[in-house]
Structures are given as structure tokens and as C-alpha cells.
Amino acid sequence: MEEAGVLVRGIDASSDEKRPWLPCESGWCVHHSDHMSGSVVYPGHADTYGAIGFIINPALADVRCIFPRDGGTQNTPGACKARCDLTPGANNPGVCSYYPPDLHVMFTVMPADRSCERRCEPGGMNEVVMAPEEWRAQMPYTLLGFFVKPSADPSGAERRKVERIRSLFLAQYGMQPGEAPVLLYDPHDRITPWASE
């Protein structure tokens, strides 16, 4: 996964309400607690879910499967679906899953996106499904930092939100101010999409 791109997870309501870096443990989203979803971004497939999120340490992510686009996993127990046909030129109708040994195949067949800010077909956001047990057990090292997409945040409200979440995260784990930084992510920039301030 390290060679594929940058592994990220958008901040949304499917996480713990008070500690959004953790899987949901109660409330309406508890049925999402059997997996954590993210995306791997790289030139040609740069979209993410959400304007803000986490940058994940790929060495500590227990990847169960990956979908070449949004896998629609919110109401799917275990999240992963039938294995994709790996035969060269195979047409995989509907949504299927690629499993860790097959990821090199998926990256060669995944359609290039149109660098859209929201979901777009047939490219856009892919979905990486990770085990929540390992995610939680490896905290705070599961996360390398945070991101914000300035183009999706003209008012700066999302930036302020991610800074508040980061402050809570640093305090929770007794981390230093220079750790887990917030980076700016521009999915339209194919040369240098990641930047610090």
C-alpha cells in the first residue's frame, strides 16, 4: 500500500462522535463499527470523501479489501464483497472487492478520475476497507496527520473544525504540537498536491 499512494480517511458521521479518529461505538453509526473506510489517493485517482480527514499510516493499516470506486459499504456487514475477476480484460459488473494479494491488479485497471471534488463515475473516490480492531489498537500511530482541501472549504470552517479535532487528538495521547500536522491537499494539482502552510 505504501507504494500505491497516500492513504486517507474523510471525517464523517460514521466515526465516534466525540473522538472522530476512532470507530463509532454507539448511536446510529454503530452498524459501521465492523470496518473503517478510507481511500488511497495518487495522480490520476485523486478524489477523497470529505473536505477534511486523516492521513493514515499505511504500515499500520490492516487492509481487508479495496474497491476501485465507492463500494457502498455502509449497510454491508463486514464491508467486503465478492472477489473481482482477475482475468486480464475481465469485465467486473457491479461492485466487487480486490483483496490485498490482488491490489497490483486493481491499480492497473482502476479508471483514471476526472479530479472531481465530489463523487464522480467511473473514477473519483476508491474505497479501502480496514479492520477497526487494528486501527484502534495502534492509536495514536495509526494516524500520521490530518488534511484539509482548501478548494472545498472557501469559508475556512472545515479548517477550523480539523484544527479542533487535531487539538483533541494531541491532548488525548499526550502528543507534542509538531506531531500529526494538518496538511493542505489539492486533488487538482498533479505535481505537488500536498503542502504545509
Side-chain angles (χ1 to χ4, degrees):
M1 189 62 70
E2 288 100 323
E3 291 106 27
V6 179
L7 189 57
V8 298
R9 173 177 165 77
I11 295 174
D12 65 9
S14 67
S15 297
D16 185 272
E17 186 178 349
K18 294 182 177 159
R19 299 171 299 166
W21 54 87
L22 293 176
C24 178
E25 295 180 341
S26 63
W28 77 270
C29 59
V30 74
H31 65 281
H32 300 292
S33 64
D34 65 349
H35 71 280
M36 297 291 283
S37 290
S39 295
V40 60
V41 296
Y42 56 91
H45 219 287
D47 201 21
T48 66
Y49 178 80
I52 59 174
F54 309 109
I55 302 167
I56 302 163
N57 185 341
L60 298 181
D62 183 4
V63 175
R64 290 180 175 167
C65 67
I66 186 168
F67 298 90
R69 51 184 57 88
D70 185 345
T73 62
Q74 284 193 353
N75 297 311
T76 305
C80 296
K81 299 181 182 176
R83 186 177 186 183
C84 293
D85 184 347
L86 302 178
T87 307
N91 180 17
N92 284 299
V95 178
C96 58
S97 301
Y98 288 88
Y99 289 82
D102 312 327
L103 296 185
H104 66 286
V105 176
M106 190 208 71
F107 287 114
T108 63
V109 301
M110 196 173 345
D113 74 7
R114 296 185 293 275
S115 294
C116 51
E117 283 292 340
R118 294 181 178 80
R119 294 181 188 174
C120 61
E121 294 294 337
M125 180 188 76
N126 54 60
E127 185 170 355
V128 178
V129 176
M130 296 163 280
E133 302 83 8
E134 193 68 15
W135 178 283
R136 186 181 285 109
Q138 297 290 341
M139 277 297 166
Y141 308 107
T142 306
L143 304 184
L144 298 174
F146 298 78
F147 75 86
V148 61
K149 293 194 287 190
S151 59
D153 184 32
S155 72
E158 294 296 313
R159 174 59 189 258
R160 291 187 293 277
K161 179 179 177 181
V162 81
E163 289 286 5
R164 284 192 303 271
I165 292 170
R166 178 179 176 267
S167 293
L168 292 171
F169 177 76
L170 295 182
Q172 171 86 37
Y173 298 105
M175 298 172 72
Q176 299 300 311
E179 296 181 276
V182 175
L183 297 181
L184 307 178
Y185 175 57
D186 181 356
H188 302 290
D189 186 338
R190 293 179 180 264
I191 309 298
T192 53
W194 296 94
S196 57
E197 293 201 81

